Amino acid sequence: VCRDPRWGRCYESYSEDHRIVQQLTEIINGLQGEAKTDMKGMPYVNGKTKVAGSSKHYVGDGGTVKGINENNTIVDDSALYGMHMAAYVNSVAKGIATIMASYSSINGVKMHAHKQLLTDYLKGKLGFKGFIISDWEGIDRITSPAHSNYSYSIQASINAGIDMVMVPYNYTEFYDGLIDLVKKNAIPMSRIDDAVSRILRVKFAMGLFENPLAVSFKNQLKHSLQKHRELARQAVRKSLVLLKNGKPGNPPILPLPKNAGKIVVAGSHANNLGYQCGGWTIEWQGVSGNNWTAGTTILDGIKATVDKRTKVVYKKKPSDTYSSKGKMDYGIVVVGEVPYAETNGDSQNLTIPAPGPAVIENVCKETKCVVIIVSGRPVVIEPYVDKIDALVAAWLPGSEGQGVADVLFGDYGFTGKLARTWFKRVDQLPMNYGDPKYDPLFPFGFGLETKPIPSTKKPEL
């Protein structure tokens, strides 16, 4: 539950509102299969075509001070159990197989060493019977600097309730250290038995002993790739949020006409599949460019949608006099964040990287313009809003930029709503719906709507 967009993992959260996050635990039914009743904490995986899910990162990682990744979440019981814990209760009821501990801390106690929350609450009160897995080198980071007292880290994490440890490199060090601690009775054998029982329980639930080899979906993907891409394109259309449509006293600008004479498409994100996809795609920190995966950029989508007689001019970085010289009917500016993941995405200023602001200024100065923000979270846009005719939050649309064009030109209407508050200035943060001093640029739940142009609307899947 991301409570501060300065956090580099905010786009991994569904919302600042725990109720939306709770609703979207529905993904567990897609991954594991739908349990017919409350599983009472038992892991559930329905057949060999399903997979074991993992709810993470337990718990409160979206509430850290100033949104700093792996930092401390200072929270009272009401917020901890009523907000940050809420979706884990749903996850356990749906039979989630595994839960991953967070790098972060709760009130100064590292989650990987938090016995009260891992064992007493999650396994005890909630009755979770799957297994708890550490994050990547998560137990190392119990100490500062990391790995400075590895024996202590092993002892603290296993005794706190970690069942499976993610050791990406030197597993023999962990193996030897764990055995030594068990021999010394620093870790009781009952704790090892509990961990092994939980891991075996998940493996039995998955049917790994009957079907130990993975099922290949290669042929299914190969023969129905277009079907999957169409579904992704539909998701893009439905997730776009229209934040502004026309300057005061002027009629709406969207949907745009397909038969304009000449339009300029500008900005660093207009023709970059890697930027559309964001982090955790192809590589950990994401990539730049169009040679990594199949798909359509937003520019591709625009070109494929407008009338054949409409001239589309692409300028990644137009000069400050370009619009007046070019006599454009309108401009479409696509700017935003460059890909990032985890701590690399932490930002205390949340500004759009250069030359994004300059491109907005240059195009919108003398041309009717639509600005599309490609980002994992709300960013600073208030200084430019008055100069913009229409503003769209496209988030991270992934491979299907065509879905953006579908809505821009009226084949479909805008329907999306903000799942998180769009702030005015970073000095307001953290600021969430329901706070006493709530003064957003665009509030939680906001989103203008447009109607599709009847003659061009395609049927939904």
Side-chain angles (χ1 to χ4, degrees), residues 9-211:
R9 305 192 82 145
C10 201
Y11 67 86
E12 298 183 49
S13 162
Y14 297 119
S15 178
E16 71 189 41
D17 186 337
H18 67 85
R19 292 169 298 182
I20 291 177
V21 181
Q22 286 178 274
Q23 289 174 357
L24 290 169
T25 59
E26 191 68 17
I27 191 175
I28 295 168
N29 292 335
L31 294 170
Q32 299 188 167
E34 185 170 356
K36 301 304 179 186
T37 59
D38 185 327
M39 291 303 296
K40 301 188 185 307
M42 290 293 288
Y44 177 79
V45 182
N46 185 20
K48 60 184 180 180
T49 62
K50 297 296 183 179
V51 297
S54 186
S55 291
K56 57 184 189 175
H57 300 86
Y58 183 89
V59 58
D61 56 338
T64 58
V65 174
K66 295 184 179 180
I68 298 170
N69 193 39
E70 303 183 25
N71 201 15
N72 187 27
T73 297
I74 302 171
V75 68
D76 60 18
D77 282 356
S78 176
L80 174 60
Y81 295 103
M83 181 193 306
H84 293 288
M85 188 67 74
Y88 291 98
V89 177
N90 295 83
S91 296
V92 172
K94 284 182 166 70
I96 192 68
T98 77
I99 290 177
M100 183 181 286
S102 177
Y103 287 128
S104 56
S105 304
I106 292 288
N107 298 327
V109 181
K110 287 281 189 179
M111 274 307 312
H112 277 72
H114 207 308
K115 184 175 184 296
Q116 180 187 345
L117 287 173
L118 294 176
T119 296
D120 300 346
Y121 190 82
L122 180 57
K123 294 180 177 180
K125 186 172 179 61
L126 294 187
F128 174 61
K129 296 179 178 64
F131 66 80
I132 300 173
I133 185 169
S134 81
D135 209 330
W136 173 288
E137 293 186 336
I139 70 168
D140 304 49
R141 303 185 199 187
I142 290 172
T143 60
S144 183
H147 203 80
S148 58
N149 189 341
Y150 197 52
S151 179
Y152 168 76
S153 293
I154 296 171
Q155 180 178 335
S157 62
I158 302 302
N159 283 339
I162 300 291
D163 300 305
M164 180 179 284
V165 181
M166 196 190 310
V167 183
Y169 303 116
N170 190 2
Y171 74 91
T172 57
E173 181 187 18
F174 171 78
Y175 180 90
D176 294 339
L178 178 65
I179 291 175
D180 181 59
L181 289 163
V182 172
K183 286 180 176 178
K184 291 176 179 176
N185 295 318
I187 296 176
M189 198 63 203
S190 59
R191 177 73 270 276
I192 302 300
D193 290 342
D194 175 55
V196 172
S197 297
R198 289 170 176 277
I199 293 166
L200 287 173
R201 188 178 292 132
V202 170
K203 289 186 175 185
F204 279 118
M206 295 177 71
L208 286 182
F209 295 101
E210 296 80 10
N211 298 287

Side-chain angles (χ1 to χ4, degrees), residues 340-410:
Y340 54 81
E342 298 190 74
T343 304
N344 285 14
D346 284 0
S347 172
Q348 293 302 305
N349 58 48
L350 289 175
T351 51
I352 297 171
V359 174
I360 294 173
E361 296 269 3
N362 294 346
V363 174
C364 297
K365 185 165 54 177
E366 297 185 48
T367 304
K368 285 186 178 179
C369 71
V370 180
V371 173
I372 300 168
I373 305 294
V374 175
S375 68
R377 55 195 165 186
V379 292
V380 174
I381 194 66
E382 190 203 23
Y384 321 108
V385 169
D386 289 345
K387 302 166 188 175
I388 294 168
D389 291 276
L391 178 63
V392 177
W395 312 114
L396 298 172
S399 63
E400 303 310 311
Q402 180 68 56
V404 177
D406 288 343
V407 183
L408 278 184
F409 293 94

